[in-house]
């Protein structure tokens, strides 16, 4: 890795084996006919409820990746990608209950076709087991608050490792566990829709840690050489008023819970909450050792998008976690997220220091498994030039890749970067309007059109370097 100056400008080179990829998730892109037709997931049910999706759209068709995956993988090759991250559709794969835990044959065949095609194109495969969607029968018994979900997840992990493990290079058990716990249990904008139900949310965290540990062991029992981790969504928190002690408390608690509680638990093998939460009777009951958890992280998988300004709110009863501030000090995306590439540099060089080495003292590989920029355009738009000259996304992409390059020069063991996402897709409670794609999807026709950012990213991957 080196930098050099030419007549074109300064060239920032990446290591020869650097991974360039894109990320997707099943529910957001597939339009899986089995899942949608049977309403097999909590999310496919959630989208049918009035007022739950901001633009009143659904993922019933999404990007039709289920039918168009060959076209989308061909686009990846055209863009010089050498890796692809996808998630498996747990509800479609395992639609039975406790007494019928087996994999449905058609979804298995489908994922084998997708993974075989990726491997035939020379791509490194990253496969996520849980990307926010629960089978409805598990959601009905409490989801990750139920031991039945932990047990079912372990069986699911073992079965897919048996059926697909020969085609998977990196396993991710759970995507963004704290995002999932927060969205479903604090604002309640995701299933199951609880509001300010912190203790239930903490129980979910415990369940997901147990599920991760059990899935890790299950995969390893089938594939002893498997490389396994989970993804953490890392978000730097900044107090709105740096002089205000209560804003500082809010920042501390948000950082400790959202960024650190999960990786610290995996590192130590036990779940611990920060003071003063740790003295609460119920929280004490959720704390403590988790069998098989310690060290179940072969690499670091980090999703990074933005930082968050937070503040204490004067309300009754008081909420020690405060709230996200409406104030923004930097340029924002259409989702209101500040654009802060320095945060990516700092997390790679400083914030994740406690987790950078494994039990044997060797440096863990680090992958940026998501990073992306959204613009809002209505789902009904079809042809035309809208959004194709996406200069803001280009600047976001290049500035964050420069932060990754700077971290590499500072010694961070970064092995790859995945842009979120290949195509526009269903962005959960925001619906189809929030478009992260390098590739524009005109939803009425499903036509794919490359944006300028796709060409920029493809050229960076081809050169294995940024020219600035």
């Amino acid at each position: 890795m080196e930098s050099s100056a030419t007549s074109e400008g300064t060239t920032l080179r990446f290591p020869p084996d650097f991974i360039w990829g894109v990320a997707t998730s099943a529910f957001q892109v597939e339009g899986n006919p089995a899942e949608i037709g049977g309403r097999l997931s909590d999310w496919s049910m959630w989208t049918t409820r009035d007022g739950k999706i901001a633009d009143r759209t659904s993922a019933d068709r999404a990007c039709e990746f289920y039918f168009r995956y060959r076209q989308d993988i061909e686009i990846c090759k055209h863009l010089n990608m050498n890796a692809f991250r996808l998630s498996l559709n747990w509800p479609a794969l395992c639609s039975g209950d406790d007494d019928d835990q087996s994999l449905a044959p058609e979804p298995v065949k489908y994922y084998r076709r997708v993974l075989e095609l990726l491997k035939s194109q020379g791509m490194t495969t990253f496969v996520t087991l849980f990307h926010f969607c629960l089978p409805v029968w598990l959601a009905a018994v409490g989801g990750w608050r139920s031991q039945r979900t932990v047990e079912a997840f372990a069986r699911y992990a073992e079965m897919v490792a048996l059926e697909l493990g020969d085609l998977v290079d990196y396993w991710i058990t759970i995507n963004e566990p704290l995002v999932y716990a927060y969205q479903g249990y604090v604002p309640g904008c995701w299933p199951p829709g609880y509001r300010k139900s912190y203790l239930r949310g903490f129980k979910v965290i415990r369940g997901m840690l147990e599920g991760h540990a059990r899935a890790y062991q299950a995969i390893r029992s089938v594939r002893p050489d498997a490389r396994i981790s989970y993804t953490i969504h890392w978000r730097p928190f900044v107090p709105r008023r740096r002089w205000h002690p209560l804003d500082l408390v809010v920042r501390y608690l948000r950082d400790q819970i959202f960024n650190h509680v999960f990786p610290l638990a995996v590192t130590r093998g036990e779940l611990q909450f920060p003071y003063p939460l740790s003295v609460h009777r119920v929280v004490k009951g959720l704390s403590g050792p988790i069998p098989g958890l310690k060290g179940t992280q072969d690499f670091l998988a980090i999703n990074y998008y933005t930082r968050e300004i937070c503040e204490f709110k004067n309300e009754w009863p008081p909420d020690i976690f405060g709230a996200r501030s409406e104030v923004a000090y930097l340029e924002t995306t259409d989702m209101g997220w500040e654009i802060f590439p320095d945060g990516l540099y700092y997390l790679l060089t400083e914030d994740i220091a406690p987790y950078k080495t494994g039990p044997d003292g060797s440096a863990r590989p680090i992958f940026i498994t998501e990073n992306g920029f959204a613009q809002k355009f209505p789902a009904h738009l079809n042809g035309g030039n809208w959004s194709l000259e996406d200069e803001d996304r280009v600047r976001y992409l290049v500035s964050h890749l420069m932060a990754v390059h700077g971290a590499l020069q500072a010694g961070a063991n970064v092995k790859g970067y995945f842009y979120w996402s290949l195509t526009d897709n269903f962005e959960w409670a925001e619906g189809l309007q929030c478009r992260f794609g390098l590739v524009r999807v005109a939803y009425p026709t499903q036509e794919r059109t490359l944006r300028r950012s796709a060409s920029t990213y493809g050229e960076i991957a081809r050169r294995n370097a940024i020219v600035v």
Side-chain angles (χ1 to χ4, degrees), residues 138-394:
L138 289 173
V141 298
W144 287 104
R145 292 175 287 130
S146 169
Q147 196 63 27
R148 288 173 66 183
T149 300
V150 174
E151 298 291 338
F153 188 61
R155 290 195 295 274
Y156 157 59
E158 181 180 11
M159 290 187 293
V160 296
L162 281 165
E163 294 288 350
L164 304 173
D166 58 312
L167 299 170
V168 179
D169 295 306
Y170 292 87
W171 294 92
I172 293 170
T173 57
I174 295 173
N175 180 73
E176 298 184 343
L178 271 296
V179 171
Y180 178 83
Y182 178 82
Q183 296 286 66
Y185 291 85
V186 182
C189 55
W190 290 8
Y194 288 104
R195 290 181 57 81
K196 292 195 175 181
S197 187
Y198 293 115
L199 296 179
R200 286 190 181 97
F202 294 162
K203 192 170 184 180
V204 165
I205 295 170
R206 173 87 191 192
M208 288 183 142
L209 284 164
E210 292 176 358
H212 166 74
R214 292 287 302 278
Y216 185 99
Q217 306 302 338
I219 296 169
R220 276 291 178 88
S221 72
V222 175
R223 311 288 302 187
D225 59 346
R227 292 168 287 191
I228 311 164
S229 190
Y230 58 90
T231 59
I232 188 76
H233 178 128
W234 199 280
R235 181 165 289 193
F237 291 92
V238 179
R240 186 171 76 84
R241 299 162 292 187
R242 296 177 184 272
W243 51 267
H244 198 296
L246 293 178
D247 281 8
L248 294 172
V249 169
V250 166
R251 190 221 68 84
Y252 169 78
L253 288 172
R254 288 194 162 215
D255 177 59
Q256 290 299 304
I257 296 293
F258 193 84
N259 291 329
H260 289 283
V261 74
F262 208 92
L264 274 177
V266 174
T267 300
R268 297 170 177 172
E270 62 177 339
L271 174 59
Q272 294 294 336
F273 291 90
Y275 182 84
L277 301 172
S278 57
V279 301
H280 189 284
R281 177 182 58 83
V282 175
V283 174
K284 278 185 178 181
L286 294 172
S287 303
I290 295 175
L293 177 63
K294 187 173 182 178
T296 53
Q297 186 173 24
D298 302 325
F299 57 95
L300 294 177
I302 299 168
N303 298 350
Y304 177 84
Y305 291 90
T306 185
R307 72 176 185 178
E308 185 170 309
I309 312 298
C310 51
E311 61 183 313
F312 183 80
K313 290 288 188 180
N314 292 318
E315 59 184 9
W316 188 262
D319 185 340
I320 61 173
F321 287 105
R324 176 181 172 180
S325 176
E326 298 302 317
V327 174
Y329 298 104
L330 304 173
E331 181 185 357
T332 64
T333 71
D334 286 355
M335 293 181 72
W337 295 358
E338 286 192 327
I339 300 170
F340 186 54
D342 286 352
L344 181 54
Y345 174 83
Y346 291 131
L347 84 85
L348 290 171
T349 57
E350 299 177 17
D351 297 345
I352 61 171
Y355 321 114
K356 290 173 103 171
T357 56
D360 62 355
S362 61
R364 286 191 173 108
I366 303 169
F367 297 96
I368 306 303
T369 41
E370 290 182 27
N371 175 241
F373 178 97
Q375 294 173 306
K376 287 188 178 182
F377 291 93
H380 69 265
L381 294 178
N382 203 347
N385 293 325
W386 57 274
S387 84
L388 296 181
E389 290 297 321
D390 55 340
E391 294 183 4
D392 290 342
R393 180 176 288 105
V394 170

Side-chain angles (χ1 to χ4, degrees), residues 108-152:
V108 171
K109 291 177 185 176
Y110 162 70
Y111 284 114
R112 282 205 69 86
R113 290 195 299 269
V114 173
L115 290 166
E116 284 170 351
L117 180 57
L118 288 167
K119 297 300 287 183
S120 74
Q121 298 298 312
M123 293 195 193
T124 301
T125 54
F126 283 65
V127 171
T128 305
L129 295 179
F130 177 75
H131 199 124
F132 301 154
C133 293
L134 280 171
V136 288
W137 64 274
L138 289 173
V141 298
W144 287 104
R145 292 175 287 130
S146 169
Q147 196 63 27
R148 288 173 66 183
T149 300
V150 174
E151 298 291 338

Side-chain angles (χ1 to χ4, degrees), residues 6 69 99 183 403 424 460:
T6 68
Y69 68 88
D99 298 323
Q183 296 286 66
D424 292 339
I460 290 170

Side-chain angles (χ1 to χ4, degrees), residues 22 24 65 76 82-86 118 123-126 418 422:
V22 289
T24 64
F65 182 83
C76 290
N82 57 23
F84 193 93
R85 180 185 170 208
L86 71 154
L118 288 167
M123 293 195 193
T124 301
T125 54
F126 283 65
F418 291 77
L422 173 64

Side-chain angles (χ1 to χ4, degrees), residues 18-31:
F18 197 77
I19 284 178
W20 298 102
V22 289
T24 64
S25 89
F27 188 72
Q28 293 177 270
V29 300
E30 278 184 356

